Amino acid sequence: MNLIFEHGIWSFANAEIWVGIGLILFFGILVAAGVPKIAAKALDAKAAKIQADLDEATRLRAEAEALLVQIRKEKAEAEAQAAEMMAQAEADARRLEVETKAKLEETLARRQKMAETRIAQAEAQATTEVKAAAADLAAKTAEQILTARIASGAKDPLLDSAIAQIGDRLN
């Protein structure tokens, strides 16, 4: 059965009534002292602090995301710049290679021409020296023949015509 309708439950001799009255008085004193307002203010302050922390965290996250976007953009720009520099370096290397080959070929051609000129000069000098040696030898031989001929007193027509032709051939 229901306790509220029992006999003697509402009597002041019953201890449960006094506990209920004390509880109601306690809550009344708390309300009169403003404890619910203080608790509400404390909870509101705590909620405001939590909201401020959440707002700060949101702001920091937004800044971090913006910074991440900026860093990614700078990274992309740096990679593009590095790729451009590599391409430029490769182009410069190819250009230098072509220039170096051209200079090397030019130098080799110039040295070959100088060598050919020296060889031609050496050949001309050798030819001149051989002609001079041949002329000296011919002159000595002619001198010996003439000396022998003068000493013997005989004339040889073949020898006379050969001696006459030596001067024409040496020049």
Side-chain angles (χ1 to χ4, degrees), residues 19-85:
V19 170
I21 292 171
L23 187 61
I24 290 172
L25 284 173
F26 177 72
F27 283 133
I29 293 170
L30 287 178
V31 169
V35 171
K37 289 181 183 178
I38 294 171
K41 283 183 183 178
L43 289 174
D44 287 344
K46 188 71 171 173
K49 185 177 184 304
I50 290 171
Q51 186 62 43
D53 289 345
L54 286 174
D55 291 343
E56 179 69 15
T58 303
R59 184 186 64 79
L60 289 174
R61 181 176 180 175
E63 285 179 9
E65 288 174 351
L67 187 59
L68 180 63
V69 168
Q70 181 182 359
I71 288 172
R72 285 183 179 161
K73 180 181 174 185
E74 289 174 359
K75 179 185 173 192
E77 289 174 358
E79 287 175 351
Q81 188 178 16
E84 182 181 322
M85 291 172 84

Side-chain angles (χ1 to χ4, degrees), residues 59-161:
R59 184 186 64 79
L60 289 174
R61 181 176 180 175
E63 285 179 9
E65 288 174 351
L67 187 59
L68 180 63
V69 168
Q70 181 182 359
I71 288 172
R72 285 183 179 161
K73 180 181 174 185
E74 289 174 359
K75 179 185 173 192
E77 289 174 358
E79 287 175 351
Q81 188 178 16
E84 182 181 322
M85 291 172 84
M86 283 297 292
Q88 184 66 33
E90 288 174 358
D92 288 346
R94 280 190 231 106
R95 181 182 50 79
L96 286 174
E97 180 183 11
V98 169
E99 288 177 3
T100 304
K101 281 183 180 179
K103 285 180 181 179
L104 179 63
E105 289 174 0
E106 179 184 316
T107 302
L108 289 176
R110 188 175 62 238
R111 286 186 180 177
Q112 182 178 2
K113 187 174 181 181
M114 286 174 36
E116 288 173 355
T117 303
R118 287 180 184 167
I119 290 171
Q121 287 174 350
E123 285 177 354
Q125 184 178 359
T127 303
T128 304
E129 289 175 2
V130 167
K131 283 183 180 180
D136 286 343
L137 182 61
K140 285 182 186 176
T141 305
E143 182 181 344
Q144 288 174 356
I145 291 174
L146 288 176
T147 305
R149 196 166 155 200
I150 291 176
S152 69
K155 288 192 171 189
D156 187 8
L158 233 73
L159 187 59
D160 290 339
S161 69

